[in-house]
Amino acid sequence: MGFGFCPLLEVPHSVLVSLAKDIGADRDIDYELELGLTIDLPVIGNFAIPLSTKGEIKLPSISDIF
């Protein structure tokens, strides 16, 4: 039993550099996620529902861990 197809995720170098600068500046990661949920309805056909969210993830400092 398996899942079959697993797409490869490619991230541009500029995004990684921007992420590193953001983490260094304020110890959090800002994110925005946009997805599309497609449902195949018998009479209508494919019906797409856009889903999106954004926010930030606070990273712990070393003093928070120990």
Side-chain angles (χ1 to χ4, degrees), residues 37-49:
L37 176 63
T38 303
I39 301 170
D40 185 13
L41 300 173
V43 176
I44 300 172
N46 287 343
F47 182 73
I49 302 171

Side-chain angles (χ1 to χ4, degrees), residues 10-21:
E10 293 183 15
V11 180
H13 180 262
S14 60
V15 171
L16 295 176
V17 170
S18 176
L19 179 63
K21 287 180 182 178

Side-chain angles (χ1 to χ4, degrees), residues 2-55:
F3 292 101
F5 175 68
C6 181
L8 179 64
L9 179 66
E10 293 183 15
V11 180
H13 180 262
S14 60
V15 171
L16 295 176
V17 170
S18 176
L19 179 63
K21 287 180 182 178
D22 183 43
I23 291 172
D26 55 7
R27 306 276 318 151
D28 68 13
I29 299 173
D30 301 319
Y31 68 90
E32 183 171 358
L33 180 64
E34 296 180 358
L35 300 171
L37 176 63
T38 303
I39 301 170
D40 185 13
L41 300 173
V43 176
I44 300 172
N46 287 343
F47 182 73
I49 302 171
L51 305 169
S52 65
T53 186
K54 62 181 173 179

